[in-house]
């Protein structure tokens, strides 16, 4: 009986030759009536056991669902736990640690390089600002702004630095745009 149980528990699939042998064999003619009766009884017993096992499995699965519901565990929580566990496993691998170290080191080098580039650009802008070409450009803009202010009606003829000229021009344009709508409103109110 134990040999039969082991034969039933084997999980290796039949090979091509074995399938042909089983298909071509005429088992009913090879068996005696007594063996046929034993096999029929065993077949009924196995079918009953399979039915019982299915019922037990179904009952166990229902109980499992009930317990999980009582514990507040649902599919989403299980997925989160599985993901967290998997992520932790990934983080503890040697390959992940080496990759993380390499990328971290590369990030530090990139940050230092960008800092150096930023410093170099700032220095270049400072050098450019002090160059004779920029000074000439600044004087031309200053002259143009002064002449525009004079034409528009400004009273400041003292010149000043580039920043002062830009600031005063911005203030003048803000005042002229702010004054336009107010005058129109005042005229409407007076009528």
């Amino acid at each position: 009986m134990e040999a039969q149980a082991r034969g039933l528990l084997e999980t290796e699939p039949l090979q091509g030759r074995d399938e042909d042998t089983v298909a071509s064999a005429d088992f009913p003619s090879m068996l005696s009536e007594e063996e046929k009766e034993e096999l029929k009884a065993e077949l009924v017993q196995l079918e009953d056991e399979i039915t019982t096992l299915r019922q037990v499995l179904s009952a166990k699965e229902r109980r499992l669902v009930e317990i999980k519901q009582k514990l507040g565990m649902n599919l989403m929580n299980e997925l989160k736990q599985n993901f967290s566990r998997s992520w932790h496993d990934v983080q503890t691998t040697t390959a992940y640690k080496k990759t993380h170290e390499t990328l971290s080191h590369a990030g530090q080098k990139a940050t230092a390089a960008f800092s150096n580039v930023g410093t170099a650009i700032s220095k270049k802008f400072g050098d450019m600002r002090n160059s004779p070409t920029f000074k000439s450009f600044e004087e031309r803009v200053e002259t143009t702004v002064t002449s525009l202010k004079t034409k528009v009606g400004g009273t400041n003829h003292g010149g000043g630095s580039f920043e002062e000229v830009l600031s005063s021009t911005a203030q003048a344009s803000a005042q002229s745009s702010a004054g336009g709508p107010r005058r129109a409103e005042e005229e409407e109110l007076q009528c």
Side-chain angles (χ1 to χ4, degrees):
M1 185 77 165
E2 189 175 306
Q4 285 180 340
R6 260 188 267 143
L8 291 174
L9 296 176
E10 288 181 9
T11 58
E12 293 182 27
L14 293 175
Q15 301 299 322
R17 250 182 326 164
D18 297 334
E19 290 175 1
D20 293 339
T21 305
V22 170
S24 66
D26 188 16
F27 287 115
S29 65
M30 296 169 56
L31 299 174
S32 68
E33 285 299 318
E34 187 178 303
E35 290 174 329
K36 287 181 185 178
E37 291 301 319
E38 283 180 20
L39 286 175
K40 286 181 181 178
E42 186 178 350
L43 179 65
V44 170
Q45 182 184 359
L46 283 174
E47 288 175 342
D48 288 344
E49 287 176 3
I50 289 171
T51 303
T52 303
L53 288 172
R54 285 185 178 146
Q55 290 171 348
V56 169
L57 179 62
S58 177
K60 298 248 182 214
E61 287 175 339
R62 282 193 302 271
R63 181 65 181 145
L64 176 72
V65 169
E66 290 173 6
I67 291 172
K68 284 183 176 183
Q69 286 176 345
K70 286 180 181 178
L71 291 175
M73 296 171 66
N74 58 22
L75 181 61
M76 187 57 94
N77 288 341
E78 287 184 43
L79 289 174
K80 285 180 186 176
Q81 289 173 354
N82 288 341
F83 180 74
S84 295
R85 193 174 315 120
S86 298
W87 180 243
H88 179 266
D89 293 346
V90 166
Q91 286 179 323
T92 58
T93 63
T94 307
Y96 177 85
K97 288 178 182 177
K98 286 182 180 178
T99 304
H100 184 271
E101 288 174 13
T102 302
L103 291 176
S104 176
H105 188 66
Q108 291 171 353
K109 284 186 174 183
T111 301
F114 284 133
S115 176
N116 290 341
V117 168
T119 303
I121 289 173
S122 296
K123 186 174 184 263
K124 267 298 191 204
F125 279 135
D127 293 346
M128 185 177 78
R129 180 116 193 251
N130 294 327
S131 72
T133 306
F134 187 80
K135 293 286 185 190
S136 171
F137 173 74
E138 185 178 27
E139 289 172 5
R140 287 183 193 160
V141 169
E142 191 174 301
T143 305
T144 305
V145 169
T146 304
S147 67
L148 284 174
K149 283 178 74 176
T150 304
K151 289 179 183 177
V152 171
T155 56
N156 186 3
H157 298 289
S161 72
F162 183 66
E163 288 86 11
E164 290 172 352
V165 172
L166 287 178
S167 173
S168 65
T169 304
Q171 288 175 355
S173 79
Q175 289 174 353
S176 66
S177 66
R182 285 188 190 158
R183 290 182 188 150
E185 290 174 8
E186 289 174 6
E187 290 176 7
E188 286 179 24
L189 291 175
Q190 290 176 357
C191 293

